[in-house]
Amino acid sequence: MSGLPFELLLALRYLRPKRTFVSIITLISVFGVALGVAVLIIVISVMSGFDKQMRDTILGFNAHVHVFQSGSTLTNYTKVMRQVSANPNVKGVAPFVMGPVLLETEPQFGQPITWAPNVRGIDPEAETNVSSLSRSIIDGEFD
């Protein structure tokens, strides 16, 4: 017996060329498998990085938990903020108001477009504790 490990001996037995044409096919198949594995590793690593970047971007603008009062406006929000921030797992709290508004375009040509998006009003000083919005503004002021 030879001093090679069994796996290497078996691989060399079937990869050793008996004729020139067989060795070319062997090289092409080994190169194809290596290329396929390399492409899979690259795609998985790129998609993992993209997933992390998108998650950080999306979750950076929105809080992980919203506290609402069912059926009406929350009037005692300072008391609720104190209760929520008393939890040691909470990193920051900030009040906001959200509601629909009505917008209509005034184009020079064509029909005006009307829609009702939600607008969120925030406290700029408290919002810096819970989101990355203030660091993401490129033009203008965060006030």
Side-chain angles (χ1 to χ4, degrees):
M1 289 302 290
S2 116
L4 293 175
F6 175 72
E7 295 85 4
L8 186 59
L9 187 66
L10 188 64
L12 288 176
R13 177 180 174 191
Y14 288 105
L15 292 177
R16 187 176 305 136
K18 292 182 178 61
R19 293 179 286 162
T20 308
F21 184 71
V22 174
S23 69
I24 291 173
I25 290 176
T26 302
L27 289 175
I28 290 172
S29 63
V30 168
F31 179 72
V33 169
L35 185 65
V37 169
V39 166
L40 282 174
I41 290 171
I42 290 169
V43 166
I44 288 172
S45 64
V46 167
M47 293 306 282
S48 295
F50 181 70
D51 179 49
K52 181 186 180 321
Q53 181 70 25
M54 287 301 294
R55 195 177 332 114
D56 290 345
T57 302
I58 291 172
L59 291 179
F61 283 117
N62 291 319
H64 296 188
V65 176
H66 291 139
V67 178
F68 293 100
Q69 182 173 343
S70 180
S72 65
T73 304
L74 186 64
T75 55
N76 58 346
Y77 68 92
T78 54
K79 179 181 175 191
V80 174
M81 283 176 55
R82 280 195 303 273
Q83 289 175 343
V84 171
S85 62
N87 187 326
N89 295 322
V90 174
K91 303 221 188 258
V93 293
F96 71 96
V97 293
M98 183 181 290
V101 295
L102 188 61
L103 296 177
E104 183 176 8
T105 62
E106 294 181 2
Q108 287 182 331
F109 305 105
Q111 296 286 331
I113 299 171
T114 306
W115 73 96
N118 280 330
V119 173
R120 185 170 78 177
I122 60 169
D123 179 7
E125 294 174 6
E127 191 70 19
T128 57
N129 299 331
V130 295
S131 76
S132 63
L133 183 61
S134 62
R135 296 183 301 273
S136 301
I137 293 180
I138 295 171
D139 192 17
E141 297 293 324
F142 183 67
D143 57 1

